[in-house]
């Protein structure tokens, strides 16, 4: 059995196969804007697309069955931070493993729920924030697992043992990991980014654990710009706080490049050599992309400053993506960012969705970001180890009748938004009106086999029994809403065929658990199965799009 996520879907392919749906009078159209609280503004769910995004399964239908709880997995009293689960056949025995990171460990379960191994040496260094990577890093047709616990990065083999040359140390705290062949040697590398920029925010390692040449870019002198902590620096390098990495080929040269938005209004684009991409000459005095300030007004971005109330991006929690939005054959960088004024006095001004070229210039129609100005919650941590919302954008072909992919994200307004490639809004729907309820982001896959995908996400809260697992159709209509226990789940869920029966499971990693009779920990991972589903169309099935966690949607 081929692992759905680790191999076939690892590069996040987009489907473009035409197909039609049976008639459905209950199409969810209209402009209510919410299944719970109608609002008198444009928005709301829309009719389903008239064409399929993927080839339908042989037994596909328009009916999406309600997810049913299949497994409840227990380990100890640890709970997850932002690590999305992984599903892969690690040892090649034909059965998948379910991998879940917790506060200081990672656990592998078999498809029957039996624990296969548990790695907790990482507990010595602290929490595991980012999602685990799963890939063949050593070129030996075997899968490895990579995790980061604050200052340490571990590479584990299929049985959970540490690979020679690991762990390696980097800055505290490592909150972003991604895999890619950044030096072009045919072997995957591990790229990490941290909250501390001393000596650098960015680092890359070979599968041997040795640093990749040119990294870290500042210390190695490869970045190509003055990155000192001073007002006259050419590049404004600061830390990253929540999975702020993407890896893909930005310029079509066959080599993979790195995107890393930062804890300010700047984002760095890097070649695999460590050198930053040149900025477009329109940006005055900023020769490299990490020096370009993302002002909402393009003219202000060109000059690099604005008045106190002018809006700019705030990329602290931005998890970017790479995809060809305009269909010109060259990928763009897609970033979701909180909006703030230049004085940084008001960080509750909604979010902006940015689409830019590798030189930080903006493609036609996207001269300013798509702006969702309303604010409910999520710009700051909620307290009690419940973190702020990840500014995570998902890229998938929801509507095959329209050119280009759609971009789906949770705003800071309690709504899920879907935006077309031309910057018009497909739909937006409200999932909460509660300031104590957030979501980490959405995944996309076909849960009924008709070739038209669904949108799946879970929520989390500071308060018990307010969180749910949601399933929306491609038009944004609510199909299912299932209560989650306690504080819900902060990580993005994962879609995969866990048990090899050809149907899709939804793996949810819970935030907080309790104890049964004071002795046995409650389950910290729920696995739901979706009856009559199929694996024909998993477009963005886990956090960051695939198990490389690279956010790259390839068009080939």
């Amino acid at each position: 059995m081929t692992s759905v996520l680790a191999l076939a879907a690892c590069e996040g392919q987009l489907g473009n196969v035409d197909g039609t749906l049976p008639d459905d009078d209950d199409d969810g159209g209209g402009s209510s804007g919410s299944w719970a609280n109608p609002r008198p503004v444009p928005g709301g769910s829309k009719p389903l697309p008239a064409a399929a995004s993927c080839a339908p399964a042989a037994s596909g239908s328009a009916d999406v069955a309600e997810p049913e709880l299949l497994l409840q997995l227990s380990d100890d009293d640890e709970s997850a931070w932002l690590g999305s689960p992984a599903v892969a056949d690690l040892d090649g025995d034909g059965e998948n493993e379910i991998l879940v990171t917790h506060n200081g460990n990672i656990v592998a379960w078999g498809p029957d729920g039996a624990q296969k191994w548990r790695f907790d040496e990482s507990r010595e260094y602290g929490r595991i924030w980012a999602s685990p990577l799963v890939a063949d890093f050593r070129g030996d047709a075997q899968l490895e697992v990579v995790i980061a616990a604050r200052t340490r990065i571990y590479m584990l083999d299929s049985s959970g043992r540490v690979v020679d040359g690991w762990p390696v140390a980097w800055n505290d705290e490592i909150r972003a990991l991604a895999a890619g062949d950044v030096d072009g040697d045919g072997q995957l590398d591990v790229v990490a980014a941290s909250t501390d920029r001393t000596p650098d925010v960015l680092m890359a390692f070979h599968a041997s654990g040795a640093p990749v040449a040119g990294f870290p870019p500042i210390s190695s002198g490869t970045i190509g710009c003055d990155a000192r902590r001073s007002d006259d620096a050419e590049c404004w390098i600061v830390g990253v706080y929540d999975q702020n990495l993407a890896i893909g080929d930005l310029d079509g040269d066959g080599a993979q490049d790195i995107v890393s938005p930062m804890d300010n209004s700047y984002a760095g684009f890097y070649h695999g050599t460590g050198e930053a991409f040149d900025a477009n000459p329109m940006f005055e005095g900023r020769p490299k992309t990490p020096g370009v300030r993302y002002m909402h007004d393009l003219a202000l971005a060109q000059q690099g400053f604005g008045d106190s109330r002018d809006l700019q991006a705030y990329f602290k929690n931005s998890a970017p993506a790479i995809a060809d939005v305009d269909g010109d054959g060259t990928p763009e960088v897609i970033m979701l960012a909180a909006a703030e004024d230049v004085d940084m006095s008001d960080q509750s001004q909604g979010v902006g969705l940015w689409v830019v070229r590798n030189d930080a210039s903006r493609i036609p129609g996207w001269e300013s970001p798509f702006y969702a100005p309303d604010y409910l919650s999520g710009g700051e941590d909620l307290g009690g180890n419940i973190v702020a919302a990840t500014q995570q954008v998902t890229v998938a072909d929801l509507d095959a009748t329209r050119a280009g992919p759609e971009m789906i994200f949770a705003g800071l307004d309690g709504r899920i938004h879907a935006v077309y490639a031309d910057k018009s809004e497909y739909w937006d729907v409200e999932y909460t009106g509660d300031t104590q309820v957030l979501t980490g982001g959405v995944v996309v896959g076909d849960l009924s086999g008709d070739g038209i995908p669904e949108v799946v996400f879970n929520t989390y809260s500071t308060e018990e029994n307010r969180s749910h697992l949601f399933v929306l159709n491609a038009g944004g209509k609510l199909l299912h809403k299932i209560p989650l226990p306690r504080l819900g789940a902060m990580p993005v869920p994962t879609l995969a065929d866990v048990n090899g029966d050809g149907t899709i499971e939804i793996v949810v990693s819970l935030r907080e658990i309790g104890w049964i009779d004071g002795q046995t920990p409650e389950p910290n991972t729920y696995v739901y199965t979706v009856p009559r589903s199929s694996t024909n169309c998993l477009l963005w099935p886990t956090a960051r799009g695939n198990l490389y966690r690279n956010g790259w949607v390839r068009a080939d």
Side-chain angles (χ1 to χ4, degrees), residues 42-243:
S45 61
K46 299 294 189 294
L48 282 176
S53 300
C54 304
S59 59
S61 75
D63 179 47
V64 178
E66 182 174 359
E68 299 174 357
L69 189 58
L70 177 67
L71 295 172
Q72 299 181 62
L73 306 176
S74 297
D75 173 47
D76 56 17
D77 63 337
E78 298 283 3
S79 58
W81 287 91
L82 278 297
S84 185
V87 177
D89 181 4
L90 294 179
D91 52 13
D93 67 352
E95 289 190 345
N96 282 328
E97 281 74 44
I98 305 165
L99 290 163
V100 178
T101 57
H102 296 132
N103 186 42
N105 62 63
I106 181 169
V107 182
W109 289 280
D112 60 356
Q115 187 176 122
K116 288 198 169 183
W117 53 262
R118 180 177 187 271
F119 179 81
D120 62 4
E121 178 185 314
S122 49
R123 184 188 301 272
E124 175 184 352
Y125 296 101
R127 64 185 176 188
I128 299 171
W129 182 280
S131 301
L133 314 181
V134 181
D136 177 10
F137 286 93
R138 297 184 289 177
D140 57 1
Q142 302 291 317
L143 295 179
E144 286 80 40
V145 179
V146 177
I147 57 172
R150 296 207 73 104
T151 63
R152 293 296 188 277
I153 304 173
Y154 291 84
M155 182 177 288
L156 311 176
D157 67 16
S158 61
S159 62
R161 293 187 295 255
V162 180
V163 171
D164 288 346
W166 300 82
V168 296
W170 186 234
N171 295 348
D172 190 24
E173 176 183 20
I174 300 165
R175 292 199 185 179
L177 282 178
D181 180 11
V182 298
D183 63 354
D185 66 354
Q187 193 173 53
L188 289 172
D189 307 299
V190 176
V191 179
S194 76
T195 58
D196 185 1
R197 61 142 282 170
T198 306
D200 203 326
V201 65
L202 198 63
M203 188 58 190
F205 299 95
H206 291 293
S208 65
V212 173
F215 289 85
I218 296 175
S219 299
S220 297
T222 56
I223 190 171
C225 54
D226 177 3
R228 296 172 300 166
R229 290 178 184 264
S230 64
D231 291 339
D232 60 351
E234 295 174 330
C235 290
W236 289 86
I237 305 297
V238 295
V240 308
Y241 281 81
D242 194 357
Q243 305 171 85

Side-chain angles (χ1 to χ4, degrees), residues 325 334 353-355 366 393-396 405-409 417-423:
V325 175
I334 307 163
L353 179 68
W354 302 79
V355 177
W366 289 85
V393 58
T394 293
V395 183
E406 281 70 57
M407 289 151 277
I408 311 102
F409 62 89
H417 299 258
V419 178
Y420 284 122
D422 64 4
K423 211 179 87 169

Side-chain angles (χ1 to χ4, degrees), residues 228-466:
R228 296 172 300 166
R229 290 178 184 264
S230 64
D231 291 339
D232 60 351
E234 295 174 330
C235 290
W236 289 86
I237 305 297
V238 295
V240 308
Y241 281 81
D242 194 357
Q243 305 171 85
N244 306 48
L245 277 178
I247 299 177
D249 184 358
L250 293 180
D251 52 10
D253 65 355
Q256 295 184 17
D257 309 300
I258 301 169
V259 174
S260 184
M262 295 171 283
D263 181 24
N264 54 18
S265 56
Y266 298 82
F269 308 159
Y270 300 84
H271 298 282
T273 61
E275 181 185 3
F277 272 78
D278 291 340
N280 191 288
M282 73 170 69
F283 299 108
E284 301 174 9
R286 299 296 171 182
K288 296 291 186 178
T289 54
V292 175
R293 189 174 187 174
Y294 283 77
M295 308 287 295
H296 281 221
D297 186 312
L298 178 56
L300 299 181
Q302 290 177 256
Q303 71 181 15
F305 60 90
D307 293 330
S308 60
R309 301 304 298 171
D310 290 323
L311 288 181
Q312 63 183 5
Y314 181 35
F315 290 120
K316 178 180 180 180
N317 297 325
S318 296
I322 298 170
D324 184 3
V325 175
D326 59 6
D328 67 352
T330 300
E332 283 75 47
V333 175
I334 307 163
M335 299 178 288
L336 183 67
E340 66 176 7
D341 56 87
V342 169
D343 280 351
M344 296 181 289
S345 62
D346 184 359
Q347 297 180 351
S348 61
Q349 301 190 63
V351 298
L353 179 68
W354 302 79
V355 177
V356 301
R357 300 185 183 95
N358 60 38
D359 63 357
S361 64
R362 306 177 188 182
I363 66 174
W366 289 85
E367 290 83 3
S368 62
F370 173 89
Y371 183 38
D374 293 344
Y375 184 86
L376 176 69
S377 181
E380 300 291 340
D381 292 347
L382 298 183
N385 289 329
I386 303 299
V387 302
T390 302
Q391 299 298 292
Q392 185 159 179
V393 58
T394 293
V395 183
D397 188 9
L398 284 185
D399 185 353
T401 67
R402 297 286 291 260
E406 281 70 57
M407 289 151 277
I408 311 102
F409 62 89
L412 296 176
D413 52 7
R415 303 174 201 155
I416 306 297
H417 299 258
V419 178
Y420 284 122
D422 64 4
K423 211 179 87 169
S424 61
E425 187 162 69
Y426 181 11
W427 48 261
D428 74 278
V429 291
E430 183 181 278
Y431 72 89
T432 187
D434 189 336
T435 60
Q436 301 303 299
V437 174
L438 299 173
T439 182
V442 309
V443 291
V444 175
D446 179 8
L447 299 184
S448 67
D450 63 357
I452 297 180
E454 279 70 48
V455 176
V456 179
F457 61 98
N458 47 231
T459 57
Y460 59 95
S461 177
T462 56
E463 300 179 15
E464 293 194 0
N465 304 316
R466 294 196 178 190

